């Protein structure tokens, strides 16, 4: 029978890697909560129109990367990101009522049919935040600062850079787009086929093309920052000022464009040079027109998403973590000792310790081998000799020291040793 294998770009995550996932997910979530964010759980499947209208028909994601299929005559897609979906939920659940700033975070798998490579998968995990109902530049600085501080908290700040840009708004971007099209049209013959098409559909994306020829043409292209209207310009100046007040280091990257169409004004990416071509570990921006374009009220918003697969990759490289073994291995050999063993197991587990015992009640020698395999710190031996004195032998498996402890004292003894 042919060996069953996983789907291309999808992967199994297990073993030591899981420790990094838990650490990252737990730290980031508790950090988000300390900023006042509430969790939002979104569906994995949405009507395709949510993404077409939300992310934009001519983006790479919508044009060629979604896993889309028909369900009862309706086109549905596995979510490629969380923002459009959260805006749909915000409108559908009337969350603008009562008015006031809303702060949500979400965590989960996203799906994009991209070419798999280091740090780029077809199923990947994002943890993201979205804030609605404020267009204050201080909020932009806080959100950019939050992304930076997450990296700091995880010990990654020396390996990442925050890049920011303003990508204008519907008032100033059209003139920029016109000039960009003029510029690239004069180099049309040298552009790659994708960019020739982008010239018609989404000229800003040419700035992001990875093909060498296009990159060198893009070097001399006009930059959006020279085209910003007064409103965008003042906003961007304030964001930079507040970031400096918050001591958040950043670089301005006037060529940064984002791969999703909903952004206006502030855009940012936390990049690293440690992951090859997959350089952004987190990215986001402001999307003031998105809720309205999906049929809701005119509502400003800003957010970002962190790529957890990439964060874990960085953590593994930089911050090797030891696998936490079992705290206590309790050894019983017959039904009498098992009764004591089960009591200790229950009590110690309830107090948060990792506790194991042997289901086959094997010989002491074999149980010590099993305790070793689980990397246990202590063994509690409930042998008949010890029990006849109402005692257990507690052995420190690192030093080899052993003590006889009254049964009634075993739990306290272990607690004192382990805490
Ligand atoms: P994005 O830039 O498409 O933005 O993705 C955010 C992050 O997800 C990236 O920086 C990267 O770390 C990770 N990521 C994206 N694609 C992959 C992949 N194929 N494999 C592994 N990691 C990946 C968004 O998704 C926006 N929704 C962010 C946002 C939230 N903007 C405003 N609010």
């Amino acid at each position: 029978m042919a060996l069953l294998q996983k789907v291309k770009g999808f992967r199994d995550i297990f073993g030591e890697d899981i420790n990094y996932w838990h650490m990252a997910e737990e730290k980031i979530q508790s950090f988000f909560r300390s900023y006042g964010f509430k969790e939002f759980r979104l569906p994995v499947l949405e009507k395709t129109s949510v993404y077409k209208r939300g992310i934009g028909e001519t983006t790479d994601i919508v044009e060629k990367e979604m896993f889309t299929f028909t369900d009862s005559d309706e086109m549905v897609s596995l979510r490629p990101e969380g923002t459009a979906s959260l805006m749909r939920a915000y409108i559908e659940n009337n969350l603008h009522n009562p008015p006031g700033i809303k702060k949500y975070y979400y965590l989960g798998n996203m799906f994009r049919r991209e070419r798999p490579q280091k740090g780029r998968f077809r199923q990947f995990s994002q943890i993201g935040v979205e804030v609605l109902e404020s267009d204050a530049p201080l909020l932009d600085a806080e959100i950019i600062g939050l992304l930076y501080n997450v990296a700091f908290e995880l010990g990654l700040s020396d390996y990442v850079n925050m890049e920011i840009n303003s990508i204008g708004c519907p008032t100033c971007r059209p003139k920029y787009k016109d000039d960009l099209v003029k510029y690239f049209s004069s180099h049309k013959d040298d552009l790659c086929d994708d960019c020739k098409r982008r010239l018609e559909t989404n000229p800003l994306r040419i700035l992001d093309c990875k093909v060498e020829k296009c990159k060198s043409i893009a070097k001399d292209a006009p930059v959006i920052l020279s085209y910003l209207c007064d409103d965008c310009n003042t906003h961007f100046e304030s964001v930079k000022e507040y970031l400096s007040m918050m001591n958040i280091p950043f670089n301005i990257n006037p060529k940064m464009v984002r791969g999703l169409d909903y952004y206006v004004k502030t855009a940012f990416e936390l990049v690293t040079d440690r992951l090859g071509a997959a350089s952004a570990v987190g990215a986001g921006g402001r999307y003031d027109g998105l809720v309205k374009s999906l049929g809701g009220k005119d509502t400003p918003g800003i957010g970002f998403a962190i790529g957890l697969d990439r964060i874990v990759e960085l953590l593994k490289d930089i911050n090797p973590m030891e696998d936490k073994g079992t705290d206590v291995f309790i050894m019983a050999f017959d039904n009498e000792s098992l009764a004591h063993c089960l009591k200790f197991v229950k009590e110690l587990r309830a107090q948060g310790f990792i506790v194991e015992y042997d289901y086959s009640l094997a010989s002491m020698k074999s149980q010590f081998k099993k305790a070793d395999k689980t990397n246990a710190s202590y063994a509690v031996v409930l042998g008949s000799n010890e029990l006849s004195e109402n005692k257990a032998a507690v052995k420190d498996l690192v030093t080899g020291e052993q003590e006889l402890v009254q049964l009634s004292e075993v739990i306290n003894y272990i607690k004192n040793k382990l805490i």
Side-chain angles (χ1 to χ4, degrees), residues 46-275:
E46 291 274 2
K47 292 180 183 168
T48 303
S49 49
V50 169
Y51 301 118
K52 280 194 173 169
R53 284 167 57 187
I55 301 172
E57 298 250 15
T58 59
T59 55
D60 283 356
I61 295 179
V62 170
E63 262 184 357
K64 54 187 187 201
E65 292 173 358
M66 288 204 296
F67 288 91
T68 296
F69 55 95
T70 311
D71 175 47
S72 317
D73 293 337
E74 198 160 47
M75 298 286 276
V76 291
S77 301
L78 287 177
R79 59 183 182 195
E81 59 115 43
T83 313
S85 180
L86 185 39
M87 297 312 118
R88 190 270 312 140
Y90 170 80
I91 299 165
E92 192 173 346
N93 295 296
N94 277 321
L95 297 176
H96 58 273
N97 240 340
I101 196 156
K102 311 284 170 355
K103 295 166 139 188
Y104 305 111
Y105 80 85
Y106 52 89
L107 161 68
N109 288 319
M110 307 293 162
F111 304 86
R112 296 183 193 174
R113 192 186 271 113
E114 293 190 80
R115 198 166 53 78
Q117 61 186 79
K118 185 177 164 73
R120 177 165 295 143
F121 309 100
R122 291 185 168 187
Q123 176 181 309
F124 58 98
S125 185
Q126 281 188 345
I127 182 161
V129 299
E130 311 293 351
V131 185
L132 290 149
E133 299 183 45
S134 168
D135 58 6
L138 182 54
L139 171 62
D140 299 43
E142 158 123 320
I143 293 302
I144 296 170
L146 170 58
L147 177 57
Y148 178 80
N149 286 332
V150 165
F152 187 87
E153 191 71 6
L154 292 170
L156 300 176
S157 52
D158 287 346
Y159 309 94
V160 292
N161 280 311
M162 181 63 78
E163 301 200 332
I164 67 168
N165 194 15
S166 173
I167 54 171
C169 69
T171 306
C172 48
R173 207 182 299 152
K175 169 82 176 98
Y176 173 62
K177 234 178 176 172
D178 282 352
D179 284 4
L180 206 58
V181 170
K182 271 188 211 143
Y183 173 80
F184 283 123
S185 297
S186 66
H187 295 87
K188 188 170 177 180
D189 293 344
D190 297 322
L191 292 174
C192 72
D193 287 346
D194 266 349
C195 283
K196 281 188 183 120
R197 196 173 39 81
R198 286 178 185 135
L199 203 48
E200 310 290 326
T201 58
N202 204 341
L204 265 75
R205 298 292 305 156
I206 303 177
L207 295 172
D208 212 24
C209 182
K210 301 286 179 278
V211 176
E212 279 309 323
K213 273 191 313 189
C214 304
K215 267 168 66 179
S216 72
I217 297 170
K219 262 196 193 121
D220 296 323
V223 292
I224 179 77
L225 291 178
S226 329
Y227 289 76
L228 295 184
C229 59
D230 286 349
D231 182 32
C232 288
N233 202 31
T234 317
H235 194 274
F236 193 48
E237 288 304 314
S238 304
V239 174
K240 289 187 287 183
E241 192 183 334
Y242 291 133
L243 282 173
S244 300
M245 281 173 73
M246 293 172 179
N247 289 322
I248 305 296
F250 64 89
N251 303 316
I252 296 165
N253 176 357
K255 293 267 165 63
M256 184 214 299
V257 282
R258 302 273 300 117
L260 307 101
D261 277 355
Y262 45 63
Y263 293 113
V264 292
K265 294 184 176 160
T266 315
F268 51 96
E269 287 185 347
L270 191 69
V271 296
T272 180
D273 55 12
R274 291 208 159 212
L275 290 174

